[in-house]
């Protein structure tokens, strides 16, 4: 289907983009890579009257280190994150997650900001962003605010972002020594989206005792979540396969897992445990 007609704007600064969003409240949509918005528009699930294409705001594409944080612009593409030498050195979990997204075309166009704001319950980035305890910088007419990733995801396709705000930056705290990360997913064969995906950030001491752990899970519920019960079962424990296996079984405890054409609720819950265990083992091997 052809999208309904719209007026197109290509601002060159964040302020210009914010001005347009405020000028057309509830009728304007931000366009980044277009890989989620355009399919929605073609199906007429989204019919914005005004498109604000932020693709020319080059300041939003940077990937850099500042103080104790990695700062990632919302417009950084999946490919630029996958291939960044800085991320491979400082936070390989991000490169690994980017490499797991869709195919080459999707990774060349799609952006981390677009993926987070779209909040597809099967998207890959939210798992890694939650596991890494990232912060998201949102800018609106009244200034900026910074949200923890866990406060950003509200429900299926719904975030805490207001219609007149832009997500401009994702901030990743520095990882301490002896930290390993892993992202593993069972993917849907046609699109690559996660049926279940688990990202782990794990810090151990010299005796392999778990000092810090963050586990982000996508695909299982209507929104991505931190597997806190697994984290609590691991913290302070000397990690071996039995401890990891017991904790991982709690990955979807207390949740109503989604059920669809690709996987039943029971199967998704089972996969959540299996992939949590595998991701923890992979992260531990790297942490050592
Ligand atoms: P857009 O489509 O441009 O925008 C998405 C939404 O976010 C829109 O509502 C837009 O208004 C809003 N938005 C975008 N940027 C901002 C911003 N900075 N501030 C405020 N609002 C903003 N994803 C996966 O995670 N895993 C996969 O395996 C996967 N496979 C895919 C396969 C195919 C064939 C396709 C088409 C997509 C796939 N995707 C997958 C989705 C892909 O990663 C998209 O690129 C991503 O979800 C959206 O990013 P985008 O830059 O294209 O955003």
């Amino acid at each position: 289907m052809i999208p309904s007609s719209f007026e197109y704007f290509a601002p060159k600064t964040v302020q210009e983009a914010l001005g347009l969003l405020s000028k057309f409240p509830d009728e304007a949509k931000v366009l980044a890579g277009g890989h989620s918005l355009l399919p929605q528009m073609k199906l007429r699930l989204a019919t914005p009257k005004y498109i604000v294409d932020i693709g020319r705001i080059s300041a939003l594409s940077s990937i850099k280190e500042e103080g104790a944080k990695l700062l990632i612009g919302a417009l950084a593409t999946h490919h630029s994150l996958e291939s960044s030498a800085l991320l491979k050195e400082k936070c390989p979990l991000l490169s690994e997650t980017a490499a797991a997204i869709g195919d080459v075309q999707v990774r060349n166009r799609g952006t981390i900001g677009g993926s987070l704001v779209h909040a597809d319950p099967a998207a890959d980035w939210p798992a890694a962003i939650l596991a890494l305890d990232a912060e998201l910088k949102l800018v609106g007419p009244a200034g900026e605010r910074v949200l923890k990733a866990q406060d950003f995801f509200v429900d299926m396709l719904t975030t805490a972002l207001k219609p007149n705000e832009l997500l401009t930056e994702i901030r990743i705290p520095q990882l301490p020594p002896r930290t390993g990360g892993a992202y593993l997913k069972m993917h849907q064969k046609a699109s690559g989206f996660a049926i279940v995906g688990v990202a782990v950030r794990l810090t151990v001491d010299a005796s392999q005792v778990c000092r810090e752990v963050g586990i982000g899970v996508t695909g299982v519920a209507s929104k991505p979540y931190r597997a806190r019960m697994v984290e609590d079962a691991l913290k302070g424990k000397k990690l071996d396969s039995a401890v990891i296996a017991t904790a991982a079984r709690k990955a979807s405890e207390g949740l109503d897992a989604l059920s669809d054409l690709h996987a039943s609720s029971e199967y998704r819950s089972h996969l959540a445990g299996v992939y949590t265990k595998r991701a923890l083992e992979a992260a531990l091997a790297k942490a050592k």
Side-chain angles (χ1 to χ4, degrees), residues 13 26 55 158 167:
T13 64
D26 304 324
T158 310
L167 167 62

Side-chain angles (χ1 to χ4, degrees), residues 261-274:
L261 182 73
H262 306 299
S264 67
S265 178
E266 294 75 16
Y267 186 46
R268 270 199 169 81
S269 287
H270 171 71
L271 287 179
V274 170

Side-chain angles (χ1 to χ4, degrees), residues 21 28-40 54 60 74-75 78 100-103 106-107 109-120 122-126 161-162 165-168 183 185 187-188 190-194:
L21 294 178
K29 266 281 185 194
V30 170
L31 176 73
H35 268 49
S36 294
L37 181 59
L38 294 185
Q40 281 188 314
I54 57 171
L60 295 185
L75 267 185
H78 309 320
I101 296 176
D103 51 34
V106 172
R107 294 199 290 276
R109 289 296 310 171
T111 67
I112 185 168
S115 173
L116 295 174
V117 173
H118 185 58
D120 189 305
D124 296 301
W125 279 124
L161 186 87
K162 295 184 187 142
E165 285 181 320
L166 280 178
L167 167 62
T168 57
Y183 178 64
K185 70 170 168 177
H187 68 279
Q188 201 269 320
S191 69
F193 273 104

Side-chain angles (χ1 to χ4, degrees), residues 184 196-200 215-217 225 227 230 234 244 247-252 270-282:
L184 294 177
V196 167
V198 180
V200 168
I215 304 172
V217 183
Y225 63 92
V230 183
L234 294 170
I244 288 177
R249 282 190 210 112
K250 299 174 189 288
S252 64
H270 171 71
L271 287 179
V274 170
Y275 277 79
T276 299
K277 176 173 172 288
R278 289 181 188 170
L280 280 164
E281 280 166 350

Side-chain angles (χ1 to χ4, degrees), residues 21-196:
L21 294 178
S22 293
K23 189 170 170 192
F24 308 117
D26 304 324
E27 293 183 311
K29 266 281 185 194
V30 170
L31 176 73
H35 268 49
S36 294
L37 181 59
L38 294 185
Q40 281 188 314
M41 288 170 65
K42 287 185 175 176
L43 292 168
R44 305 248 172 147
L45 294 170
T47 54
K49 286 203 178 131
Y50 306 97
I51 286 288
V52 179
D53 181 352
I54 57 171
R56 286 172 183 76
I57 311 179
S58 51
L60 295 185
S61 303
S62 64
I63 301 171
K64 59 187 180 195
E65 188 178 21
E66 222 172 79
K69 288 193 171 142
L70 292 168
L71 306 182
I72 297 169
L75 267 185
T77 61
H78 309 320
H79 171 71
S80 65
L81 292 153
E82 177 188 0
S83 53
S84 157
L86 176 67
L87 296 189
K88 280 184 185 158
E89 186 200 333
K90 301 279 179 171
C91 189
L93 173 56
L94 290 169
S95 334
E96 202 179 308
T97 306
I101 296 176
D103 51 34
V104 176
Q105 288 94 329
V106 172
R107 294 199 290 276
N108 274 333
R109 289 296 310 171
T111 67
I112 185 168
S115 173
L116 295 174
V117 173
H118 185 58
D120 189 305
D124 296 301
W125 279 124
I129 291 308
L130 283 165
L132 289 165
D133 236 345
E135 292 175 335
L136 279 66
K137 182 171 147 191
L138 314 179
V139 183
E144 69 174 63
R145 59 190 179 117
V146 176
L147 285 190
K148 282 267 189 198
Q150 69 204 35
D151 300 323
F152 183 71
F153 301 106
V154 174
D155 204 349
M156 192 174 286
L157 305 178
T158 310
T159 70
L161 186 87
K162 295 184 187 142
N164 59 0
E165 285 181 320
L166 280 178
L167 167 62
T168 57
E169 191 173 83
I170 297 99
R171 299 173 174 173
I172 313 286
Q174 200 172 42
L175 300 174
R178 288 211 180 86
T179 297
Y183 178 64
L184 294 177
K185 70 170 168 177
M186 157 83 95
H187 68 279
Q188 201 269 320
K189 296 279 183 255
S191 69
F193 273 104
I195 291 173
V196 167

